[in-house]
Amino acid sequence: MTTRHTPAPPGVETGPLPARSEVGLALQFWLQWIWLLPRVVYDVLDNGGDPDEGTAEPGPSKLVLTSARYRLERRGTPQDWSDFADRAIARGIERGLRIADERRDWNDSGKYRYQWKDTAAHTFVRKRYYRGIGLAGVAALAARRGWEVDWERSRDGDVAHLVLRREQG
């Protein structure tokens, strides 16, 4: 597969993001257990019972700074970050395709009055998964899977929005 992708428009920062502070990481790692239960309850209530709906993040691990991610944040190489981001992109693409299929099936059933307006496959990956490689790295990884970064929606660098690449023809 190719890693060719649509280049970022001028003014969009695509490089690796600044590393997190050692003190901030240590505090999050040790104090996360205090706010974990209220956060899980909030996510379940806020997302209607499915905290993973439409995201690239797996279950409760998105709420916890695991020891593996702590090590990655502290000493991760660009290759480590690339592997980490690639797994998150794969999960996001799988979820994005599943949700798009479910929405199309809903619309095609004809049993329901309201229809989904947007049935195109899309997903997003939060910056905590690509901090060490930046949006340019995400664009290359997504291109290998036939997806591309929606640069207009990903401008702020906080979230990489991915869309299924349209066939040229």
Side-chain angles (χ1 to χ4, degrees):
M1 288 246 147
T2 181
T3 59
R4 257 189 275 163
H5 56 276
T6 307
V12 175
E13 181 59 45
T14 60
L17 300 167
R20 293 181 58 197
S21 78
E22 187 173 341
V23 173
L25 280 169
L27 287 172
Q28 180 183 354
F29 186 72
W30 293 108
L31 298 177
Q32 66 188 342
W33 309 109
I34 295 170
W35 57 263
L36 185 61
L37 181 60
R39 174 69 192 265
V40 169
V41 170
Y42 170 77
D43 273 6
V44 169
L45 293 175
D46 188 45
N47 292 313
D50 187 1
D52 297 334
E53 188 66 28
T55 71
E57 300 166 291
S61 67
K62 73 178 183 175
L63 305 175
V64 177
L65 180 62
T66 62
S67 58
R69 196 170 121 224
Y70 179 80
R71 283 190 302 276
L72 177 71
E73 292 272 5
R74 291 294 305 130
R75 295 180 209 71
T77 65
Q79 183 59 46
D80 295 336
W81 278 103
S82 182
D83 295 343
F84 189 62
D86 194 40
R87 288 190 301 270
I89 290 168
R91 286 189 305 268
I93 287 173
E94 179 183 323
R95 234 177 235 109
L97 291 171
R98 178 181 47 82
I99 290 169
D101 287 343
E102 289 171 0
R103 289 178 176 180
R104 279 192 290 277
D105 290 345
W106 172 282
N107 287 351
D108 293 344
S109 72
K111 296 188 283 185
Y112 306 101
R113 178 177 174 190
Y114 297 103
Q115 302 289 305
W116 286 101
K117 291 180 181 170
D118 183 15
T119 59
H122 62 278
T123 190
F124 64 90
V125 180
R126 295 187 190 280
K127 71 179 175 185
R128 67 174 151 253
Y129 293 98
Y130 65 85
R131 180 182 312 283
I133 59 172
L135 283 172
V138 172
L141 292 171
R144 290 184 198 160
R145 298 175 181 275
W147 287 61
E148 60 185 23
V149 173
D150 180 349
W151 294 109
E152 191 60 37
R153 293 181 64 203
S154 302
R155 231 174 227 295
D156 62 2
D158 202 27
V159 175
H161 292 273
L162 305 176
V163 294
L164 190 58
R165 181 179 289 154
R166 290 185 211 92
E167 294 299 320
Q168 305 294 328

